[in-house]
Amino acid sequence: MEHDPLGTVIAYYASCLEQHPKALAAVERLLGMSHEQARAASVGFSDRSLGNQLPSRRIVAGVRIRTQLEELGLYKRNGRETLRGCLTIPIRDHAGRDRKSTRLNSSHEWI
């Protein structure tokens, strides 16, 4: 996580999408993508479980990772995920490196 926090979070959210049928249906409805296309594009879903995957904020590594995620705009100071309840779509550069993750939800309604 510490070496590539953005890539790790994108991969984690992509794995979360597989577990949420409503989010998978939203991918098809909102993005017009099949499940396979979404998987290939690393589309994901932020289901508020990221914090459970991080080291405790009481240890140095946990503080460091949370600070990195805050700087990337993926985590808030209060410990909540910025993209919670949203589909996540990675934005990559010409070389395929992850640059940021944006969100999509239906009229700001939680999926």
Side-chain angles (χ1 to χ4, degrees):
M1 171 75 81
E2 286 186 68
H3 302 293
D4 183 18
L6 180 58
T8 304
V9 171
I10 287 171
Y12 179 72
Y13 285 159
S15 72
C16 290
L17 180 65
E18 307 282 329
Q19 302 166 15
H20 295 277
K22 285 177 73 174
L24 282 169
V27 167
E28 188 171 334
R29 184 178 80 248
L30 298 172
L31 301 176
M33 298 174 85
S34 70
H35 183 196
E36 293 76 24
Q37 291 170 319
R39 185 181 304 128
S42 300
V43 173
F45 179 64
S46 174
D47 65 356
R48 295 180 5 165
S49 64
L50 178 62
N52 297 331
Q53 307 303 313
L54 303 175
S56 171
R57 65 182 123 226
R58 293 185 175 130
I59 61 173
V60 173
V63 171
R64 189 170 32 243
I65 290 170
R66 283 173 168 76
T67 300
Q68 288 176 320
L69 295 178
E70 282 179 38
E71 290 169 357
L72 289 167
L74 297 173
Y75 223 65
K76 296 180 181 180
R77 281 192 113 88
N78 64 8
R80 298 184 190 258
E81 295 174 57
T82 304
L83 306 176
R84 70 190 183 284
C86 296
L87 295 176
T88 61
I89 305 163
I91 297 174
R92 296 187 169 110
D93 65 13
H94 66 282
R97 292 182 299 254
D98 296 318
R99 288 298 176 207
K100 66 189 273 186
S101 184
T102 190
R103 66 182 173 183
L104 174 68
N105 59 20
S106 179
S107 301
H108 299 286
E109 296 173 18
W110 304 119
I111 296 173

